[in-house]
Amino acid sequence: MFILGLTGSIGMGKSTTAGYFRAAGVPVHDSDAVVHRLYAGEAVAPVEAAFPGVAVEGRSDRAKLAAQLVGKPDAIRQLEQIVHPLVRAVTQHFIAEQAVRGARVIVLDIPLLFETGGEKNVDAVVVVSAPPDLQRTRVLSRPGMTAEKFDALLARQMTDAQKRARAHFVVDSSRSFDSARAQVRGILRAVAALPGRRIS
């Protein structure tokens, strides 16, 4: 099995690119979606214990949680120490399940792939990229987004240039949807002949 890690900074078009891999028949594991599920399940109790008052009707309220994290790197690390192992366990289950199904290529969609050292667990990394002005326009068009929030998010992420320098493949999302789809197909052709890892 060949494991592709898919990443990219906010507003780069990573989710759209993940959709192109799915459309090509590749199983995609969405780490963000897993986190959302955990905040309504396994993570609720430990997160509430660490950050009292964030649980609302049996779920971790992300807005209340975010308010407790603003400007507190230690609190962010504490949250990551709770959530990341839970995400990793779900990811490993997904990989094992796809191995049993005989999947030749899978994609792990991980926004903070490099920041969390996740590149060590994949066979190649795909970075989705676009020019900074397009990225800013995309992000600031989102409901509730402000320039301050955007800059704070960027500050937590490795720069786009650093990610591209460490990527095996780069998808340029600044052109047409058809162009991005063609780039995804090209990546799949390139990895088809490469040896992946043996999953026991």
Side-chain angles (χ1 to χ4, degrees):
M1 177 191 289
F2 197 92
I3 303 177
L4 281 170
L6 177 66
T7 195
S9 299
I10 184 171
M12 290 301 194
K14 180 180 60 59
S15 296
T16 301
T17 303
Y20 297 148
F21 278 105
R22 281 195 191 91
V26 177
V28 176
H29 179 71
D30 183 342
S31 293
D32 260 357
V34 170
V35 171
H36 279 281
R37 288 202 303 273
L38 289 169
Y39 280 151
E42 287 176 73
V44 176
V47 169
E48 176 65 18
F51 305 96
V54 301
V56 177
E57 297 178 355
R59 306 171 70 91
S60 297
D61 185 305
R62 293 177 75 117
K64 287 180 179 291
L65 185 55
Q68 292 201 29
L69 301 177
V70 175
K72 298 176 182 173
D74 289 344
I76 292 171
R77 279 193 290 274
Q78 185 180 6
L79 177 65
E80 289 173 345
Q81 285 167 3
I82 295 168
V83 175
H84 286 176
L86 296 173
V87 174
R88 277 196 295 272
V90 177
T91 303
Q92 289 307 314
H93 177 75
F94 172 82
I95 293 170
E97 187 178 59
Q98 294 304 325
V100 169
R101 292 181 179 180
R104 175 68 188 89
V105 180
I106 65 170
V107 168
L108 303 183
D109 177 352
I110 305 174
L112 298 177
L113 179 77
F114 289 122
E115 291 84 345
T116 58
E119 74 275 15
K120 298 188 295 288
N121 303 316
V122 301
D123 297 308
V125 175
V126 180
V127 167
V128 186
S129 180
D133 56 340
L134 178 56
Q135 176 192 25
R136 179 170 285 270
T137 300
R138 286 172 175 171
V139 176
L140 292 182
S141 69
R142 297 180 181 183
M145 183 57 68
T146 64
E148 292 74 22
K149 282 185 188 175
F150 175 50
D151 291 338
L153 285 166
L154 282 187
R156 285 186 57 206
Q157 299 184 349
M158 186 180 289
T159 68
D160 180 53
Q162 289 172 315
K163 288 178 181 175
R164 282 188 280 107
R166 297 174 66 175
H168 299 87
F169 303 98
V170 175
V171 172
D172 177 358
S173 72
S174 68
R175 292 176 276 173
S176 66
F177 292 136
D178 284 344
S179 169
R181 284 191 197 94
Q183 292 173 70
V184 165
R185 288 195 295 269
I187 291 167
L188 292 174
R189 283 195 299 272
V191 303
L194 298 177
R197 60 188 61 203
R198 188 177 299 280
I199 308 295
S200 56

